[in-house]
Amino acid sequence: MPELPEVETIKRALKKTLQGATITNVALSNKRLRFPISKNALSTIIGQRITGIRRRAKYLLFDLENNLILLAHLGMTGKFYLAHASEQIRQHDHIRLTLANGHELRFNDVRRFGFVDILQRDHANKHDRLKNLGVEPLEKTFNGQCLFSKTRKTKKPIKNLLMDAKVVVGVGNIYASEALFMAGVHPKKIASNLTKEQCNRIAIAVKQVLNDSIKQGGTTLKDFASLNGEQGYFAMRLQVYGRRGENCTVCSKPIDRLVLAGRSTFFCKNCQKL
Ligand SMILES: [Zn+2]
């Protein structure tokens, strides 16, 4: 399943290639995606120029000239790839946007948990998928102060809070474990008991693990064509995740595992005291 760093990398690649391109036609397969979209709705973007491509959480937003937004989510197996319009359609190509330059942006999704929707820019923040999203972890608004205030009234373990998209978006299970190790905070620590200093360290660590992963992605996906490649977590250098029983890279004691909210959580008892 594509994670935030991957979606960010895909966004950058799409932006480089598609910003300024004009959509001249659209086509749909007869298979339903996670949410259905009608040919009529999709047709409203014909003739429109793509003025920008943004990311919000794990959603891609294509801004169009006529104040519409094409919203896309990759689900489990969704991917975008670019082909010449004359190139044969592949199995699982569900949406095709023909561009004025003779190319086609194709949305291919084997399991069809992904989807595409068209929305009015003015109503974007009220869209069902976007309205309850928390802060973006890579933006300045996510910092120690922000995390400190969001943790004051909750008895949840900090790891669960970090993975709550209503609080902060895009911090997946692996990233949460890695960031808490980097910050020296036990994953089970009750959020309201965190000090401001710990919140600062966690916010910095979250940004660092995500940025490291984006950097990896930048080298993995060198050009747009590779958007078609394998998806999942980028090959990160993991300090704790999946390393139960192996030596901690800081203190050499064995890494532990526990389960929080049904998810495997890895940490060092010695470096991350409760
Ligand atoms: Zn350690």
Side-chain angles (χ1 to χ4, degrees):
M1 173 137 97
E3 293 292 331
L4 184 143
E6 253 185 296
V7 179
E8 176 64 24
T9 306
I10 290 165
K11 180 210 81 184
R12 291 177 189 182
L14 286 168
K15 194 169 173 182
K16 221 157 123 186
T17 317
L18 296 175
Q19 183 143 311
T22 299
I23 298 160
T24 56
N25 206 359
V26 296
L28 276 167
S29 74
N30 54 9
K31 292 271 172 60
R32 188 197 138 111
L33 293 170
R34 184 166 154 216
F35 304 107
I37 182 167
S38 68
K39 177 82 194 271
N40 277 349
L42 195 61
S43 296
T44 55
I45 67 171
I46 294 175
Q48 298 304 313
R49 201 166 58 88
I50 300 169
T51 54
I53 297 172
R54 296 177 285 142
R55 178 189 60 72
R56 176 74 175 107
K58 295 200 280 182
Y59 295 95
L60 291 163
L61 286 82
F62 296 69
D63 288 308
L64 302 162
E65 241 172 348
N66 59 353
N67 280 327
L68 291 180
I69 292 174
L70 181 138
L71 178 75
H73 193 278
L74 304 173
M76 306 281 283
T77 52
K79 50 189 88 165
F80 280 105
Y81 77 96
L82 202 62
H84 196 271
S86 64
E87 218 173 285
Q88 193 169 13
I89 297 163
R90 298 180 197 175
Q91 198 182 5
H92 312 298
D93 279 351
H94 297 299
I95 289 175
R96 288 177 289 133
L97 308 181
T98 311
L99 306 172
N101 66 6
H103 283 91
E104 264 181 11
L105 180 68
R106 295 177 178 176
F107 182 69
N108 183 288
D109 192 351
V110 177
R111 297 187 62 185
R112 290 186 278 121
F113 285 109
F115 70 91
V116 163
D117 198 4
I118 305 295
L119 48 131
Q120 299 275 350
R121 186 171 318 171
D122 300 340
H123 298 138
N125 291 334
K126 294 183 193 126
H127 190 272
D128 278 352
R129 312 260 83 76
L130 304 175
K131 65 183 178 193
N132 292 322
L133 294 175
V135 63
E136 282 290 330
L138 296 176
E139 282 180 11
K140 285 202 182 94
T141 45
F142 179 68
N143 53 32
Q145 181 57 50
C146 162
L147 194 57
F148 188 71
S149 64
K150 285 181 188 294
T151 50
R152 292 309 85 194
K153 283 182 186 151
T154 170
K155 299 284 173 217
K156 279 187 194 167
I158 178 59
K159 181 176 176 251
N160 298 9
L161 199 80
L162 279 182
M163 291 182 62
D164 181 351
K166 290 194 193 90
V167 176
V168 52
V169 298
V171 185
N173 192 38
I174 294 181
Y175 301 119
S177 276
E178 292 294 310
L180 288 169
F181 173 74
M182 197 181 281
V185 174
H186 197 290
K188 245 174 136 169
K189 178 101 180 171
I190 299 299
S192 59
N193 291 345
L194 289 166
T195 64
K196 205 170 219 177
E197 171 54 28
Q198 287 174 315
C199 289
N200 277 336
R201 290 209 306 267
I202 294 168
I204 290 168
V206 163
K207 288 174 196 286
Q208 190 167 339
V209 294
L210 293 173
N211 278 323
D212 282 354
S213 186
I214 290 168
K215 223 180 261 175
Q216 289 289 324
T219 53
T220 312
L221 304 174
K222 280 200 186 66
D223 55 13
F224 191 83
S226 341
L227 286 179
N228 210 9
E230 279 299 301
Q231 294 183 330
Y233 279 97
F234 288 137
M236 292 167 64
R237 280 184 304 272
L238 300 173
Q239 306 285 325
V240 285
Y241 195 88
R243 297 190 63 236
R244 181 190 204 169
E246 291 177 40
N247 294 341
C248 170
T249 52
V250 174
C251 72
S252 301
K253 300 247 162 66
I255 298 295
D256 264 296
R257 174 183 174 272
L258 61 83
V259 175
L260 276 176
R263 307 299 300 274
S264 271
T265 304
F266 296 84
F267 66 106
C268 172
K269 264 201 299 236
N270 189 45
C271 297
Q272 297 166 270
K273 298 234 160 69
L274 194 58

